[in-house]
Amino acid sequence: MNYMDKYKEWRNNPYFDKETKEELLNLEGNEKEIEDRFYKDLEFGTAGLRGVIAAGTNRINIYTVRRATFGLANYIIKNTTEEEKSRGVVIAHDNRHMSREFCIEAANTLAACGIKAYIFDSLRTTPELSFAVRNLNTIAGIVITASHNPPEYNGYKVYWEDGAQVMPHIANAITEEINSIHDYSTIPTLTEENKNLVVTLDEKADTEFIEAVKKQVIRKELIEKVGKEFKIVFTPLCGTGNKPIRRALSEVGFENIIVVKEEENPDPNFAGIEYPNPEEQKALSRGIELAKRNGADLVIATDPDCDRVGVAVKTTTGDYALLTGNQIGGLLTDYIIEGLKEKSELKENSTLIKTIVTSEFGADIAKANNVEVLNVLTGFKFIGEKIKSFEENNNEKTYLFGYEESYGYLVGTHARDKDGVVASVLISEMAAYYYSKGMSLYEGLMSLYEKYGFFKEKTISITLKGIEGLAKIKDIISYFRENEVSSMGDFKVVDMKDYSKGIDNLPKADVLKFFLKDGSWVAIRPSGTEPKLKFYIAVKGINENEATDKIDNINKYIDATVNSLIIENKEATSKLYC
């Protein structure tokens, strides 16, 4: 069927509810919107769905959630033993519009297929879901979230029994199952006979997760010493992090926690924040203002599903500066290594894991301390995969720390995804450590730059929506793949890696990485969850000015090249921002 036939099917089929049909009826005559909603099915990407909440096959709604869950159920039934299937699936959700409804729909669909579904009584964080998969020994897990996307979005992520997001071969197989479902009315519905397969978890699950987080503290005596006076401003950005982070910080000894009131409680509209993204200054603006009024030492913000953490720290001028994900990762790498060395607990086979688009700041620190560094593809599931591999190979390597530039960190192996709860605890401990030495976290960062060199990075995200946008994203990356790029700005290209060829013992991925003569690099990849093409620039200088000049020079080249490629289709470009 073409998009108009699908539109008419949804309007006329008695399977779809009255509200859905009324919403679609209001689109009559708006062919471009109808086309965008029905020209394809919402894609089940590397780990799940993400889209705007609305009626249509290319939107997320109760019907597309049911379809995805039925596909997951069919995969489990066909590819696992009866014992594995009987272990069930655990589901968590965030604070977004329709999150609870989607959670219930997923649980009911699983139960209708004869698979037990564990749900929480209300919203929970993504890292707690990852922990719960292994703690409850389920065969899989689901999180209903769209992370830091705007309020009109929601999503659906799938985890496997190791607690990590499903690997590509499983995601592809689930996708095949989903794509084979053409008639929504064939999806089974919950009956009296199987409704007891939906089980609600109690607070014991929360306590077990928090206890696992608390075990990762390195210098307990330090927190006991300064925990009462060290001031932390915290905002969960209206998401799931409020209760677990405040509880964890309090239980390890931090008593001076000031919460941004406007952003404390769950709010699907995020208290007016357009992008509840802890990477962005606007998302932390209230927290920074609160920190200024209270003279706080540290500002922490977590995204709605609490798997990522943003940080603002007081500088030498008294202002507050946002740290990048690369800076936080480098600081944590140094802090963890030095803390373990102090306790004589740094193992010889300790290994740092980072992604190929993460800077070399943390890697250089690790190597200087004889810690091995492994690079993996973008996506925290690949870090989780390495942890699993270490365990299966009699711990021939010991997992030290894993992180990615997009503000995701995991200390410990209790979870197999980035954990904003444990990261908030360790970042607070680290900042308190520098505080005990009469230094801010910012001054700690500067001291590391003096020792290892000044690292600087920039990410450029180009958003190109719709059918035309998708085609243009492919055109741009094809240009860089197929044309010999001899230089980027003033810097000669000395090597290019095309990860779509399956190189460096990594799975195939649509990523290009250009290595420049001065040691800088540029990586290009399409987003797996949003209509975006991303450019990552990473440089190292002898000081901040030199590093900034290098970034600006390379950035000008990228802007000019990309703008020349999209100039024929400006309508598809919604924004270009850094």
Side-chain angles (χ1 to χ4, degrees), residues 332-402:
L332 281 171
T333 299
D334 178 76
Y335 180 75
I336 293 166
I337 289 173
E338 293 301 325
L340 293 178
K341 284 168 62 176
E342 184 181 287
K343 300 168 69 175
S344 300
E345 293 179 4
L346 182 66
K347 296 184 179 180
E348 289 185 4
N349 62 353
S350 292
T351 305
L352 174 77
I353 309 174
K354 71 175 191 67
T355 68
I356 59 174
V357 296
T358 296
S359 88
E360 304 308 308
F361 181 32
D364 282 5
I365 293 170
K367 291 172 185 175
N369 287 277
N370 297 314
V371 171
E372 185 177 351
V373 178
L374 289 180
N375 285 289
V376 296
L377 295 178
T378 304
F380 221 90
K381 58 181 171 288
F382 295 110
I383 295 177
E385 180 188 35
K386 289 297 182 184
I387 298 172
K388 180 182 178 182
S389 174
F390 293 173
E391 293 176 346
E392 291 177 344
N393 288 281
N394 298 315
N395 295 311
E396 63 179 10
K397 299 181 190 295
T398 296
Y399 174 76
L400 176 78
F401 175 48

Side-chain angles (χ1 to χ4, degrees), residues 321-333:
L322 265 65
L323 299 184
T324 68
N326 284 307
Q327 290 171 331
I328 298 166
L331 280 161
L332 281 171
T333 299

